Amino acid sequence: MWRRRIPIALACLAGLALNAYLWQPFLPYFLVRANNDFACTYTGAVLAGSPGLYEVATVKRTQFTLGDSPQFMMYQRFPYYAGLVSPLRWLSYLQAYWVWQAICLAALMVFLAFWPGQPMWLKAIACCWSLPLANCFVMGQDVTLVLAALAVSVALFLRGRHFAAGCLIALCSIKFHLFVTLPLLILTRRLWRFGSGAVAGGAVLLAASFAVQGWRWPADYVGMLRLPTSTPSYSLMPNLNGLLSGHAHGAGLMAVAAGIVLAAAAVVMWRAKFTIALAATLLSGLLLSYHAFIADAVLLIPVGLLLIHDKASRAQRAVGLILLSPLAFLGFRLDRVPYPPAIVVLMPLLEIGRASCRERV
């Protein structure tokens, strides 16, 4: 056994070392200052149930007292999420930060344990080499919670428990903008029990949001989303917004590109097997998200695992291996890379769309 485990351990350590090297300039913010996106989560915990959850002045006043002068970020999650993390308010900022990092690490362990179809060693190596996953921890992001909910939901679905899987997928509303094409998957494949579970789970979370924040929060939430700081636009976003950022005809081109993405995703969902259809759902959702950063590209880990699990196409398996390697994400960290990061998401979708058009998988 040790002869097998030592190479796996060395591969994991090599991936962690590479990530430490590439993210080294940001490590002081992660290890010492906690000056990262956790300030947004802690703000939600402190302001949960108060009228100022989505007010600029209240959020600024709250974040001014946190950590080592953290940057200003509006709270952008739903009220139910603020209620779930509200116990963190009883801890100091730094204490809550390390508890939060432990929760995110535990969520990653849930993903590794429940994601089906691949051996544990392969999933562990993929995670250790993932630049977006490392960024999740460096920036105090919460995308690992989405990974955990997604993994448990997929595991339940493949065991035939479609309604329960739908209930769990509702927790992915933590990052709802990354799953905008999930209804298309439900419709094209007629996953009515799964869709019913998603609606039921979403209704519970919606009711919890009203219970936490009262009846006015939807209007406050929409007002927050309309702030320029809530919806930035720059070329390093792994979506269509990043791909067309700064273009003179960006709005029109984005509409055309969104139509192409939806068409490609619909073809895959309709013609391909479920694993490939799910990969298309994650890819198209990320492309259409409008608001996404490198940490959100961690969804390409399950995409890569889905593609290499499929036995129908060598090209698809090759794409999956690329998505699980650092090569796919060098555009986020290195200068003068000849492709924008969004290409890493768009090209796999077009490839599986092309393969699905040729034959029914």
Side-chain angles (χ1 to χ4, degrees):
M1 293 293 293
W2 63 269
R3 290 182 178 179
R4 295 181 58 189
R5 291 177 178 174
I6 288 179
I8 294 171
L10 291 176
C12 290
L13 289 174
L16 294 175
L18 176 65
N19 270 303
Y21 172 75
L22 291 176
W23 295 112
Q24 187 274 334
F26 300 91
L27 291 184
Y29 297 93
F30 162 63
L31 295 172
V32 181
R33 304 177 186 175
N35 183 4
N36 54 26
D37 293 351
F38 175 69
C40 180
T41 300
Y42 193 76
T43 298
V46 171
L47 298 179
S50 72
L53 184 62
Y54 300 116
E55 290 180 358
V56 174
T58 304
V59 171
K60 280 186 176 180
R61 186 166 56 249
T62 302
Q63 292 184 358
F64 182 75
T65 64
L66 304 181
D68 183 15
S69 301
Q71 57 183 324
F72 167 68
M73 293 171 289
M74 287 298 297
Y75 175 76
Q76 298 180 0
R77 302 288 183 263
F78 288 137
Y80 79 81
Y81 186 77
L84 288 175
V85 301
S86 60
L88 294 175
R89 73 171 75 182
W90 304 114
L91 302 174
S92 70
Y93 180 70
L94 287 178
Q95 290 173 337
Y97 174 71
W98 288 110
V99 169
W100 178 250
Q101 291 285 10
I103 292 172
C104 292
L105 181 60
L108 178 60
M109 296 301 106
V110 171
F111 170 77
L112 291 172
F114 281 90
W115 187 259
Q118 297 293 349
M120 180 64 74
W121 65 266
L122 179 58
K123 293 184 286 187
I125 292 175
C127 288
C128 289
W129 282 85
S130 173
L131 271 68
L133 182 57
N135 183 261
C136 288
F137 290 97
V138 170
M139 297 304 297
Q141 266 282 346
D142 54 5
V143 195
T144 57
L145 303 181
V146 176
L147 279 183
L150 177 65
V152 177
S153 176
V154 172
L156 289 172
F157 184 91
L158 295 179
R159 295 174 185 173
R161 301 177 62 180
H162 291 186
F163 184 83
C167 291
L168 260 296
I169 204 69
L171 287 173
C172 291
S173 60
I174 294 172
K175 291 266 189 177
F176 68 91
H177 54 292
L178 302 179
F179 294 86
V180 292
T181 56
L182 183 62
L184 184 60
L185 175 70
I186 294 171
L187 291 173
T188 53
R189 303 190 74 89
R190 300 181 180 181
L191 304 176
W192 308 131
R193 290 183 60 200
F194 178 76
S196 299
V199 171
V204 171
L205 296 178
L206 185 63
S209 292
F210 281 107
V212 169
Q213 205 61 28
W215 295 103
R216 290 183 51 85
W217 75 263
D220 296 337
Y221 186 78
V222 171
M224 178 275 299
L225 290 180
R226 296 176 64 183
L227 295 173
T229 55
S230 298
T231 54
S233 176
Y234 69 108
S235 61
L236 288 183
M237 284 186 169
N239 54 22
L240 296 180
N241 187 19
L243 183 63
L244 300 172
S245 175
H247 197 283
H249 304 286
L253 290 175
M254 193 174 300
V256 174
I260 295 173
V261 167
L262 284 173
V267 168
V268 177
M269 295 173 190
W270 177 47
R271 296 180 61 89
K273 61 169 28 176
F274 177 76
T275 53
I276 304 301
L278 180 59
T281 304
L282 298 176
L283 288 169
S284 58
L286 183 56
L287 284 168
L288 297 175
S289 59
Y290 195 79
H291 179 101
F293 300 91
I294 181 173
D296 299 313
V298 77
L299 289 180
L300 298 184
I301 294 178
V303 171
L305 294 172
L306 286 168
L307 293 180
I308 65 174
H309 179 62
D310 179 69
K311 304 300 182 182
S313 168
R314 291 182 180 179
Q316 290 175 6
R317 293 200 297 273
V319 168
L321 289 173
I322 292 173
L323 291 179
L324 295 178
S325 75
L327 296 175
F329 307 103
L330 292 179
F332 289 106
R333 293 297 302 127
L334 301 181
D335 296 330
R336 298 180 182 177
V337 175
Y339 58 87
I343 292 295
V344 176
V345 188
L346 180 60
M347 296 310 294
L349 177 63
L350 296 180
E351 165 55 30
I352 61 178
R354 181 198 64 81
S356 298
C357 285
R358 293 181 60 183
E359 59 180 340
R360 187 176 182 86
V361 182

